[in-house]
């Protein structure tokens, strides 16, 4: 019989770094602060250190290099963490990076071995799911090495794993799959911007009520290694007390530190080419990883104004045989400000570019690199009388998170942009000062998990980040070249809470059993007033986006294949934030006869449904 959980463990499963924090459940002092857990990892050849961050890199060494020993596994065949990140600059074809971004790639088989993309033939590639499993496996083992004997294993604790607010249902489901494979069963998912605000609430204590008031809207700007994540959280008054509610979530924007690294690498490459150095694709990969290190050093608070960059030559074993250059803080800030954080008006929008007919398989990065234009678009389209004016969300406070936002220069640029866009000229947007931006999400996850488990502390109401709709095909005579009209029924309104269900109003609906069918689902992050059962005969493409279809064969049991079975619908949001739709037979042939359809991902990368009683 397993021991009762003693801690809540928050896991930030980040694109660039992972982090761990925990909060005790048996503390009598109310809400004790979350503590960061140091993570033992390989940092050099045979060198182990415990660090607060685990870089999200996996190194797949050649057999001749031997094992990658850890204190708990002397024969480990791969390296995760700091040493893997270091090797990325030397052997980029053997290092998995940005696995989290690949995990939400909508057109990819995310269970297939595709990483590293440019791996040599002798490398056994990892899938995005397996890479996520590797990170979780290492975090669990490092935690257990320190605490299992005295306080219990990590898998015996209550665990909260953070995901981008804009993660789709499939990416959330795959994150849960990786966690289950690692042995984590008592699991909750939490949106990263909410975790950042939980960390701020913990740091502020009861003083947060003096900094926020009813009517305030907190904009959380979370820019990490691979994504830009925006959320708006409104402050309400309920029964004489303050309450928080997440009222808007941005799109999943693959734009972050990785883009800046690549831009800086191209900047350096151009300079090297003028000096007569031609770089091949392998060297460019190494230069990009070196640019990441330089960027993080120069954009962080510190005294260094320039950083050397070394690009290895193929086959060169001596540093002297490599190409050496340097970058300055001034050059990096100018590149980042002008290219990624330009000054724009409030009505600016991302500018799409014409794409080539053929493209390499890769991540669906944002086509416009300007973060400020994406932020202006988010604020402009999320109008809501409860949290904004007719011109869009009007934040009164901003909370920054993510490694990119460690730069005081970038925070100042975004703060000036928000003030310039605001209708409240006499009230500048306040900055909520938090702690370490690399650790806030893990701390906030532990704080949220503690509040969830004990019932103590403030909770942010959020629910689903989109309203979900199912397509209903009209019964009309067949017409050559014309598809039957499709109406959309809202099955889960915006903000539907995890673990809740809703019975939809009765409609004359039927499901086809015993043969392959396709369910079409749609989502909207802007139609926040639609209730369950609202039907749309027409919809604007910019408001409602079609999700990957669900292809499934619903079991016929004792019915004939192809039968139409009259049903009514029930919707449920799982604890992982995944939509489950139940088609319940109106005239059941067995007790509680129903078919379940939920968003998951098939091996070919297409969303599918699970069906059964």
């Amino acid at each position: 019989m397993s021991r009762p959980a003693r801690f809540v463990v928050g896991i930030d499963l980040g694109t660039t770094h992972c982090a761990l924090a925990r909060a005790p459940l048996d503390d009598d002092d109310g809400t004790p602060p979350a503590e960061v857990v140091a993570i033992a990892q390989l940092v050099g050849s045979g060198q182990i250190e415990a660090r607060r961050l685990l870089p999200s890199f996996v190194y797949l060494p050649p057999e001749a290099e031997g094992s990658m020993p850890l204190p708990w596994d002397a024969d480990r065949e791969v390296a995760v963490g700091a040493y893997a990140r270091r090797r990325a600059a030397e052997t980029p074809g053997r290092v998995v990076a940005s696995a989290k971004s690949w995990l939400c790639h909508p057109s990819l088989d995310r269970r297939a071995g595709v990483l590293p993309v440019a791996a040599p033939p002798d490398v056994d590639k990892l899938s995005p799911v397996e890479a996520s499993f590797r990170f979780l496996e290492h975090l669990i083992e490092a935690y257990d090495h320190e605490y299992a004997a005295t306080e219990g294993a990590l898998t015996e604790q209550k665990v909260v794993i953070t995901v981008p607010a804009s993660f789709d249902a499939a990416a959330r489901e795959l994150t849960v799959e990786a966690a289950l494979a690692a042995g984590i069963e008592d699991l909750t998912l939490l949106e990263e911007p909410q975790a950042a605000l939980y960390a701020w609430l913990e740091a502020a204590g009861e003083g947060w009520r003096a900094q926020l008031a009813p009517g305030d809207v907190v904009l959380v700007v979370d820019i990490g290694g691979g994504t830009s994540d925006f959320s708006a959280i409104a402050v309400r008054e309920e029964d004489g007390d303050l309450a928080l509610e997440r009222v808007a979530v941005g799109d999943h924007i693959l734009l972050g530190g990785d883009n800046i690294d690549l831009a800086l690498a191209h900047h350096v490459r151009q300079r090297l080419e003028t000096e007569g150095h031609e770089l091949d694709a392998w060297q460019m990969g190494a230069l990009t990883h070196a640019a990441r290190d330089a960027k993080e050093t120069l954009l962080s608070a510190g005294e260094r104004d320039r950083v050397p960059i070394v690009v290895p030559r193929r086959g060169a074993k001596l540093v002297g045989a490599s190409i050496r250059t340097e970058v300055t803080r001034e050059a990096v800030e100018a590149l980042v400000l002008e290219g990624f954080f330009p000054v724009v008006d409030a009505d600016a929008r991302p500018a799409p570019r014409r794409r080539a007919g053929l493209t390499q398989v890769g991540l669906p990065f944002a086509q416009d690199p300007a973060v400020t234009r994406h932020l202006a678009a988010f604020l402009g389209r999320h109008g809501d009388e409860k949290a904004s004016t007719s011109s869009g969300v009007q934040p009164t406070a901003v909370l920054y998170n993510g490694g990119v936002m460690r730069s005081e220069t970038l925070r100042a640029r975004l703060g000036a942009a928000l003030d310039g866009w605001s209708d409240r000229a006499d009230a500048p947007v306040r900055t909520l000062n938090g702690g370490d931006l690399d650790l806030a999400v893990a701390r906030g996850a532990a704080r949220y998990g503690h509040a969830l488990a004990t019932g103590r502390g403030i909770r942010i109401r959020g629910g689903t980040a989109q309203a979900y709709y199912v397509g209903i095909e009209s019964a009309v005579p067949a017409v050559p070249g014309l598809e039957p009209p499709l109406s959309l029924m809202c099955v889960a309104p915006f903000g539907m809470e995890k673990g809740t269900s809703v019975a939809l109003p009765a409609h004359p609906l039927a499901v086809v059993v015993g043969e392959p069918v396709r369910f079409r689902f749609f989502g909207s992050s802007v139609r926040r007033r639609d209730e369950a059962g609202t039907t749309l005969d027409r919809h604007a493409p910019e408001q409602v986006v079609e999700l990957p279809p669900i292809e499934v064969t619903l079991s016929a049991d004792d019915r004939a294949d192809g039968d139409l079975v009259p049903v009514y619908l029930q919707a449920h949001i799982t604890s992982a934030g995944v939509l489950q739709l139940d088609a319940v037979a109106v005239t059941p042939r067995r007790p509680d006869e129903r078919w379940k359809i939920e968003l998951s991902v098939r091996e070919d990368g297409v969303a599918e449904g699970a069906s059964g009683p």
Side-chain angles (χ1 to χ4, degrees):
M1 184 175 180
S2 62
R3 292 176 288 187
R6 294 184 57 186
F7 293 88
V8 172
V9 178
I11 298 179
D12 176 7
L13 194 63
T15 306
T16 306
H17 295 98
C18 299
L20 280 177
R22 65 178 192 163
L25 288 169
D26 55 357
D27 195 292
D28 295 329
D29 295 333
T31 54
E35 64 169 330
V36 174
V37 176
I39 305 162
Q41 59 194 279
L42 193 66
V43 300
S45 182
Q47 182 183 0
I48 302 293
E49 287 184 13
R51 297 182 176 179
R52 298 202 299 173
L53 293 173
L54 178 76
S56 303
F57 295 79
V58 183
Y59 175 50
L60 308 171
E63 186 176 349
E65 192 168 338
S67 62
M68 304 281 110
L70 292 168
W72 53 86
D73 185 356
D75 300 320
R76 184 59 57 92
E77 296 179 350
V78 302
V80 173
Y83 182 65
R85 172 172 170 159
R86 197 186 85 185
R87 295 310 305 270
E90 303 162 359
T91 57
R94 289 187 171 274
V95 176
V96 175
S98 302
K100 183 175 177 180
S101 295
W102 288 93
L103 192 67
C104 61
H105 196 312
S107 303
L108 179 78
D109 179 355
R110 287 164 270 190
R111 292 193 183 94
V114 295
L115 304 175
V117 174
D122 63 322
V123 171
D124 291 330
K125 294 184 178 182
L126 304 184
S127 71
V129 176
E130 185 178 355
S132 301
F133 161 78
R134 289 285 186 178
F135 301 140
L136 291 169
E137 176 189 49
H138 188 102
L139 294 172
I140 292 169
E141 292 174 341
Y143 183 99
D144 290 354
H145 181 70
E146 183 70 23
Y147 299 112
T150 56
E151 298 175 353
L154 187 148
T155 54
E156 295 176 338
Q157 317 306 323
K158 294 185 178 297
V159 178
V160 177
I161 297 178
T162 61
V163 295
S166 51
F167 247 20
D168 63 19
R172 291 171 187 258
E173 188 75 9
L174 290 170
T175 302
V176 172
E177 180 179 314
L180 291 172
I184 300 173
E185 296 183 356
D186 192 347
L187 168 66
T188 302
L189 297 186
L190 175 66
E191 295 173 6
E192 289 164 4
Q194 289 192 46
L197 189 56
Y198 276 114
W200 178 82
L201 290 169
E202 177 183 88
E206 286 301 311
W208 79 270
R209 301 173 190 277
Q211 299 186 56
L212 297 175
D216 276 327
V217 177
V218 180
L219 170 67
V220 182
V221 176
D222 186 354
I223 304 178
T227 59
S228 292
D229 219 356
F230 309 130
S231 289
I233 299 174
V235 184
R236 319 282 199 209
E237 182 175 2
E238 293 183 0
D239 300 325
D241 202 358
L242 296 182
L244 301 173
E245 181 181 359
R246 191 260 287 121
V247 294
V249 172
D251 295 332
H252 192 71
I253 306 170
L254 287 185
L255 175 63
D258 290 349
N259 303 73
I260 297 175
D261 302 338
L262 190 59
L264 180 57
H266 279 285
H267 171 76
V268 174
R269 178 182 188 171
Q270 290 173 357
R271 187 202 311 160
L272 292 176
E273 288 178 344
T274 62
E275 298 171 359
H277 300 290
E278 292 291 335
L279 304 185
D280 60 21
W282 178 84
Q283 289 174 306
M284 189 60 188
L287 174 57
T288 302
H289 287 288
R292 175 186 288 115
D293 293 336
K295 172 207 69 180
E296 292 185 356
T297 298
L298 294 173
L299 289 183
S300 300
E303 298 180 356
R304 299 187 66 179
D305 291 325
R306 58 189 65 239
V307 171
I309 284 184
V310 178
V311 182
R313 297 184 191 272
R314 281 193 180 273
K317 297 183 179 180
L318 300 177
V319 172
S322 301
I323 304 169
R324 300 179 64 86
T325 186
E326 66 178 17
V327 292
T328 65
R329 181 188 299 272
E330 182 180 8
V332 171
E333 289 185 345
L335 176 71
V336 174
L337 286 175
E338 294 171 11
F340 293 90
F341 295 85
V343 176
V344 300
D345 293 332
D347 59 358
R349 297 295 181 265
R353 61 177 177 81
R354 178 173 294 181
R355 304 176 67 184
L358 292 175
T359 182
Q360 291 182 332
V361 175
L363 292 170
F365 292 112
Q367 296 181 41
D368 190 327
V371 173
T372 40
R373 281 195 281 270
H374 289 283
L375 180 56
F378 164 73
L379 295 175
R381 75 170 178 269
H382 283 282
D384 185 318
E385 75 282 357
K386 298 180 181 178
S388 64
T389 67
S390 59
S391 59
V393 173
Q394 291 284 310
T396 58
V398 59
L399 176 67
Y400 297 111
N401 191 61
V404 172
M405 299 315 301
R406 287 198 303 263
S407 169
E408 183 178 347
T409 301
L410 300 186
R411 295 197 301 270
R413 170 60 61 91
L414 282 184
L418 292 172
D419 286 340
W421 299 338
S422 175
D423 292 341
R424 307 179 180 95
D426 58 338
V429 177
R430 308 185 304 279
T431 298
L432 303 180
N433 294 313
D436 190 322
L437 301 190
D438 283 323
L439 298 168
V441 166
R443 289 182 186 273
R447 169 58 44 226
Y448 166 79
H450 188 277
L452 193 65
T454 65
R456 300 194 295 263
I458 188 79
R459 291 270 306 278
I460 302 170
R461 292 204 309 269
T464 56
Q466 298 188 71
Y468 289 101
Y469 306 79
V470 66
I472 300 173
E473 187 176 286
S474 299
V476 296
V479 177
L482 182 66
E483 292 289 330
L486 194 75
S487 61
L488 308 186
M489 179 194 294
C490 180
V491 293
F494 179 92
M496 186 172 170
E497 295 286 351
K498 298 176 184 177
T500 62
S501 301
V502 60
L504 300 167
H507 285 271
L509 301 176
V511 295
V512 180
V513 299
E515 64 182 43
V517 294
R518 182 176 66 166
F519 286 86
R520 294 175 64 181
F521 280 89
F522 300 77
S524 174
S525 61
V526 297
R527 294 188 65 92
R528 300 198 296 276
R529 302 177 189 175
D530 289 349
E531 299 177 350
T534 298
T535 300
L536 309 178
D537 293 322
R538 296 179 180 274
H539 62 277
E542 65 273 14
Q543 288 190 336
V544 181
V545 178
E546 185 163 6
L547 305 175
I550 295 175
E551 297 178 357
V552 66
T553 299
L554 303 179
S555 59
D557 290 334
D558 57 347
R559 301 176 187 271
D561 291 349
D563 270 2
L564 285 174
V565 182
V567 295
Y568 63 91
L569 300 179
Q570 292 179 341
H572 176 70
I573 303 296
T574 70
S575 61
V578 176
L579 171 64
Q580 176 181 300
L581 192 65
D582 287 4
V584 184
V586 174
T587 307
R589 294 191 177 179
R590 63 177 184 273
D592 195 29
E593 184 180 23
R594 66 179 62 208
W595 294 266
K596 298 178 181 179
I597 306 100
E598 69 176 21
L599 296 174
S600 63
V601 174
R602 218 170 44 209
E603 289 185 359
D604 60 5
V606 179
E608 70 169 358
S611 67

